[in-house]
Amino acid sequence: MTRSIAFASLKGGVGKTTVALNCAFAFARRGARTLLVDTDLQGAIGMSLDGVSDRPGLAANLARGGPPLEGLVKTRLPELCLLPMGPVDALDEDRFAINAREANIVGRILEHSQRDFDLVLFDTPAGLGGMSRIALEEVDSVIAVAQCEPLALRAMPRLLELLARLRDIGSACSLLGVVGTMSSFRDPVLLASLEELWSLYRDQVFDTAVPRDSTFLQASRAGVPLGLLSRRPPAVSAVFDKLVAEIEERLGSDAGGEDDGPIRLVD
Ligand SMILES: Nc1ncnc2c1ncn2[C@@H]1O[C@H](COP(=O)(O)OP(=O)(O)O)[C@@H](O)[C@H]1O
Ligand SMILES: [Mg+2]
């Protein structure tokens, strides 16, 4: 069964796109056939990756009314594909989410992913309306992205409330977990925010938090996931290997694709 996860937060600039992109890369490296879909009209994934921003994607598929996965971008990893947003006509922005809902574009992306993908990850824009709301209604799991700073933490209850309300009205989406981002043990305010995140959301918080690290800016400057920043990836890229292992555990055993079990070290 193909699993779907949306990365969401009410507040912008908290690291959603960074987490979605690097988790997609880490999932693919673990062997899960992964599709990363950009639902942000600003084309956040395209902006973050060299060679992707001008390609057509979800927006063009919506405008044409054709197959929802046209323009799929293959990557260096055979298990990882991207569906960027692609250029959005300025005049279409206003009604974009309305058209997307009418055309059921997110639902159709999921239907068409069943054969070729184990996981479909959605990067969403800031805010809980528009494309975020549509993605949240269609996926089976949501990962709340919480920057470890006071204002971002104050915005979290709104997302959780929306998820509860969506479930009330029949949506399947459940909160898979909360991931803290841009944390630091060295800055007392950031450390206090990380502690607050733990004390407020306890078991829902992933053990792995994404530290604040200037390497992220280098990676976005180069337009690559952290794991491709150099032949010997920076230490912080290993955070996403840990995070996706935790996510897989929460998803259950069928998330990684094929059957799994111990592998003999010596034959
Ligand atoms: N852990 C981190 N440490 C340092 N900078 C980060 C980190 N995560 C994201 N950033 C930077 O913060 C900015 C916003 O991140 P982004 O992932 O685009 O957030 P969002 O998608 O929530 O708007 C980007 O410039 C990104 O490179
Ligand atoms: Mg973003």
Side-chain angles (χ1 to χ4, degrees):
M1 188 182 78
T2 302
R3 309 298 298 266
S4 51
I5 306 175
F7 292 85
S9 75
L10 171 61
K11 199 168 173 300
V14 298
K16 275 186 303 299
T17 301
T18 304
V19 172
L21 171 64
N22 287 286
C23 281
F25 183 78
F27 270 122
R29 284 279 281 264
R30 281 168 77 84
R33 297 169 304 158
T34 305
L35 171 61
L36 174 62
V37 180
D38 191 357
T39 63
D40 187 345
L41 266 68
Q42 290 182 30
I45 294 292
M47 255 195 282
S48 305
L49 290 174
D50 192 31
V52 177
S53 65
D54 297 336
R55 298 189 189 219
L58 191 154
N61 296 349
L62 180 63
R64 271 204 305 271
L69 293 186
E70 211 152 87
L72 219 58
V73 179
K74 292 202 164 77
T75 71
R76 174 176 289 279
L77 300 184
E79 290 83 8
L80 178 61
C81 286
L82 315 168
L83 182 64
M85 173 56 76
V88 177
D89 189 320
L91 292 179
D92 288 344
E93 287 214 8
D94 209 22
R95 286 186 53 85
F96 194 92
I98 297 170
N99 295 342
R101 182 182 288 284
E102 272 170 18
N104 186 26
I105 185 85
V106 175
R108 289 176 58 237
I109 287 170
L110 285 173
E111 270 166 40
H112 282 73
S113 305
Q114 297 294 318
R115 199 193 54 198
D116 293 334
F117 296 101
D118 301 309
L119 269 176
V120 184
L121 306 183
F122 291 90
D123 182 29
T124 67
L128 303 179
M131 291 303 292
S132 299
R133 167 73 182 269
I134 292 174
L136 293 178
E137 284 175 19
E138 296 292 333
V139 293
D140 45 57
S141 303
V142 176
I143 292 180
V145 180
Q147 187 180 344
C148 295
E149 56 102 47
L151 290 187
L153 291 189
R154 281 174 213 156
M156 276 286 293
R158 286 277 301 281
L159 171 59
L160 304 186
E161 191 188 319
L162 174 65
L163 293 180
R165 294 284 295 112
L166 285 176
R167 274 197 307 279
D168 286 347
I169 58 170
S171 163
C173 70
S174 65
L175 182 71
L176 196 60
V178 179
V179 59
T181 63
M182 306 197 211
S183 65
S184 169
F185 297 115
R186 294 192 174 81
D187 180 318
V189 178
L190 299 188
L191 179 58
S193 297
L194 186 59
E195 283 169 351
E196 194 182 339
L197 192 67
W198 277 99
S199 66
L200 285 175
Y201 302 108
R202 299 267 163 191
D203 292 346
Q204 285 168 329
V205 182
F206 289 105
D207 287 344
T208 313
V210 180
R212 178 179 286 275
D213 194 303
S214 62
T215 317
F216 284 94
L217 295 181
Q218 290 174 36
S220 56
R221 186 168 183 204
V224 294
L226 277 182
L228 292 179
L229 193 54
S230 52
R231 266 178 218 294
R232 297 161 74 192
V236 67
S237 70
V239 157
F240 295 99
D241 297 325
K242 285 175 70 181
L243 181 59
V244 301
E246 275 194 74
I247 296 172
E248 269 185 15
E249 278 174 15
R250 292 194 188 189
L251 283 174
S253 55
D254 61 338
E258 72 265 18
D259 288 344
D260 213 351
I263 302 160
R264 292 185 66 168
L265 176 61
V266 178
D267 279 328

